[in-house]
Amino acid sequence: METPGAYEAHLPSVPPWLNKGDNAWQLTASTLVGLQSMPGLVIIYASIVKKKWAVNSAFMALYAFAAVLICWILVCYRMAFGDKLLPFWGKGAPALGQKFLLRRAKVPESTQYYENGSVESPAIEPFFPMASLVYFQFTFAAITVILLGGSVLARMNIRAWIAFVPLWLIFSYTVGAFSLWGGGFLFHWGVIDYSGGYVIHLSSGTAGLVAAYWVGPRSKSDRERFPPNNVLLMLAGAGLLWMGWSGFNGGAPYAASIDASMAVINTNICAATSLLVWTSLDVFYFGKPSVVGAVQGMMTGLVCITPGAGVVQAWAAIVMGLLSGCIPWYTMMILHKKSIFLQKVDDTLGVFHTHAVAGLLGGLLTGLLAEPDLCRLILLVKDSRGAFYGGKGGAQFLKQIVAALFIMGWNIISTTIILLTIGLFIPLRMSEDELMIGDDAAHGEEAYALWGDGEKYDPTKHGNWNGSLLFMEQPQTSGYTNAATAAPPARGGTIDL
């Protein structure tokens, strides 16, 4: 049977190794993950904070997204997925030349060997170009830094943040990525981190808590009262985050495969279960459901399933959702208020609970629930399985614990050193005057330019709104107005007493 022309190779733009379906899915997944950050987290950060911090919070996410991309292609991609420099770090080099970007994608240090030196599994070599892999992994790096930033919103000096982003990417993120994904020592040891429970969420949550400690707290008034300025807009950002997670976990196999399908369905099952559990606990404990709480529950479910999305069964995704809906809820709502240390550290959005706790929980549950047949679909270490399936499963659980300790320890040390170094040259925290004013002091801009917010109507400046009589002067019959009987002025109008 003759192959249809649409599926034939058309060299040189379609080389023999290129699978158009895999490449199309990888680019789609990359775009979905990118949308989680830009505009997903930009919208969430802008809307979940107090009005006076909306611009600053959104800008921190926007800057990080752009800065990470440039650092990623200049040096960081190959530090995370290139040739080995150390057991936990790759050799930094640019990922810019067309010879590099247009050749078939490959993770060079991912070949898995038996103890006798024979090959257990060949190197990871997807059927799409390196450019697709570089961009996909960039979106993961970008969202990690942006999530970290949620811990220091509403007080970190923007100049310190500008310096922090590239330094943390280079000296912290690339270490975790190479160790667990790029062919480092944890990768070859057989630790399971399917799509970033440790590399992304445990690291961002841990580093976020450390950063919050060193930067210092928000102003006293902001800590006491910090209402979201737009809950409905926050839900729009949350929707982008949830739907984008299909690319987050579905793109991890580097192929439009059955394992990608399993990862996508598990992701949504766990997120929905966790959201319902968190909301139920809010109703039981506080007497009413919270929209912000529902978003937090959604987030912890998405984070928890990430390290095992493609290697656990659907019933296990429900179990993980049940636990991710209640354990992070307990640490955030109950334990946080009882812990003297957590009370002193001002983690603005609770990133430690929603990402570090949920990511650690997911990694440990993966060590218990990873199903052997699903593991064979994607993992390079043969006979991998969770502890509940016997065999070497008990050792797998211990590996998950050790990997978590390494990621947490490295992030504590590296984040501390980076911030203390920056603090020698740039104040980490805004001044008290800037903290009192907010966006206008930090950027000279405000989120909502609604006329009438303390401003008198000036017809020479604002004009006569479409010829409306709304703002026309009303005749007065006396030199004063009786406030008890006079009709209220239009918004922005003034009362002459």
Side-chain angles (χ1 to χ4, degrees):
M1 179 176 173
E2 185 178 353
T3 303
Y7 296 95
E8 291 181 354
H10 297 280
L11 301 177
S13 63
V14 184
W17 48 261
L18 178 66
N19 184 302
K20 295 179 181 179
D22 286 353
N23 193 37
W25 168 238
Q26 207 63 36
L27 292 173
T28 302
S30 302
T31 303
L32 288 170
V33 181
L35 287 170
Q36 289 183 291
S37 298
M38 202 30 226
L41 284 171
V42 172
I43 293 174
I44 291 178
Y45 284 8
S47 55
I48 202 171
V49 298
K50 223 173 183 177
K51 172 181 173 287
K52 72 175 188 178
W53 291 113
V55 171
N56 179 257
S57 301
F59 180 78
M60 286 177 65
L62 175 64
Y63 162 76
F65 191 81
V68 168
L69 175 56
I70 301 305
C71 295
W72 192 248
I73 60 174
L74 288 178
V75 66
C76 292
Y77 170 76
R78 294 174 79 168
M79 293 179 74
F81 294 92
D83 297 321
K84 183 172 76 172
L85 175 65
L86 297 169
F88 53 85
W89 221 358
K91 296 178 182 177
L96 289 170
Q98 67 182 39
K99 288 184 65 176
F100 177 81
L101 292 173
L102 294 183
R103 72 189 189 197
R104 183 177 175 182
K106 184 178 182 179
V107 181
E109 298 294 339
S110 59
T111 304
Q112 184 69 26
Y113 296 95
Y114 288 110
E115 292 183 1
N116 61 11
S118 59
V119 175
E120 181 177 2
S121 299
I124 297 172
E125 201 168 5
F127 295 100
F128 51 73
M130 189 67 82
S132 299
L133 182 58
V134 171
Y135 185 71
F136 179 70
Q137 290 297 342
F138 146 69
T139 60
F140 278 48
I143 200 172
T144 306
V145 181
I146 295 172
L147 291 171
L148 186 165
S151 294
V152 292
L153 296 181
R155 86 280 199 170
M156 187 170 185
N157 186 337
I158 192 64
R159 292 180 293 277
W161 175 249
I162 288 171
F164 175 78
V165 168
L167 292 174
W168 191 85
L169 181 70
I170 293 170
F171 294 105
S172 187
Y173 180 82
T174 56
V175 171
F178 184 82
S179 298
L180 282 159
W181 288 345
F185 74 107
L186 294 174
F187 176 93
H188 289 297
W189 196 32
V191 175
I192 302 174
D193 188 14
Y194 182 85
S195 193
Y198 285 177
V199 174
I200 295 171
H201 301 293
L202 183 57
S203 63
S204 63
T206 303
L209 188 71
V210 174
Y213 174 83
W214 289 114
V215 171
R218 289 168 288 173
S219 65
K220 185 174 183 295
S221 61
D222 283 349
R223 289 200 77 179
E224 291 173 349
R225 189 171 185 276
F226 203 71
N229 70 81
N230 195 324
V231 173
L232 297 181
L233 193 62
M234 178 194 69
L235 285 175
L240 286 168
L241 206 63
W242 187 344
M243 294 299 98
W245 225 285
S246 293
F248 199 104
N249 290 341
Y254 299 154
S257 62
I258 57 173
D259 197 53
S261 300
M262 193 70 185
V264 170
I265 190 66
N266 281 342
T267 298
N268 287 272
I269 289 172
C270 188
T273 305
S274 183
L275 185 153
L276 296 175
V277 171
W278 191 294
T279 301
S280 300
L281 289 171
D282 277 349
V283 172
F284 176 79
Y285 196 81
F286 300 112
K288 60 183 69 175
S290 164
V291 175
V292 175
V295 172
Q296 301 280 34
M298 173 206 80
M299 184 79 73
T300 56
L302 293 168
V303 170
C304 184
I305 193 63
T306 294
V311 296
V312 301
Q313 298 188 61
W315 64 262
I318 295 177
V319 173
M320 295 173 80
L322 291 170
L323 294 174
S324 64
C326 60
I327 293 178
W329 181 92
Y330 173 79
T331 64
M332 177 180 284
M333 300 299 179
I334 308 298
L335 183 63
H336 185 96
K337 297 176 182 178
K338 296 181 178 180
S339 169
I340 296 175
F341 173 74
L342 291 177
Q343 282 290 297
K344 288 182 178 179
V345 181
D346 183 17
D347 181 357
T348 308
L349 299 185
V351 178
F352 175 75
H353 303 285
T354 56
H355 292 273
V357 173
L360 174 62
L361 176 65
L364 297 181
L365 288 173
T366 298
L368 296 174
L369 300 171
E371 204 278 333
D373 290 336
L374 292 174
C375 288
R376 279 192 287 271
L377 293 178
I378 188 156
L379 300 182
L380 273 65
V381 177
K382 305 300 183 184
D383 201 29
S384 295
R385 63 186 62 213
F388 286 172
Y389 293 91
K392 299 178 180 179
Q396 185 66 54
F397 185 70
L398 293 176
K399 291 176 183 179
Q400 300 298 113
I401 295 175
V402 172
L405 293 174
F406 172 77
I407 293 295
M408 294 173 70
W410 184 269
N411 277 278
I412 291 171
I413 295 170
S414 62
T415 305
T416 296
I417 294 174
I418 291 168
L419 285 171
L420 291 179
T421 302
I422 293 173
L424 297 175
F425 305 95
I426 307 171
L428 297 178
R429 187 170 179 264
M430 295 182 187
S431 67
E432 292 299 329
D433 288 341
E434 289 176 312
L435 290 175
M436 182 181 298
I437 298 170
D439 288 338
D440 197 29
H443 302 278
E445 299 167 309
E446 293 186 3
Y448 301 107
L450 297 176
W451 181 83
D453 188 8
E455 180 183 5
K456 290 185 178 180
Y457 179 74
D458 181 353
T460 64
K461 178 179 178 182
H462 300 287
N464 190 9
W465 184 45
N466 291 332
S468 171
L469 299 177
L470 181 63
F471 297 113
M472 290 182 65
E473 292 185 10
Q474 302 297 321
Q476 294 183 347
T477 58
S478 65
Y480 68 93
T481 301
N482 188 333
T485 59
R491 178 168 176 80
T494 58
I495 298 176
D496 292 331
L497 297 178

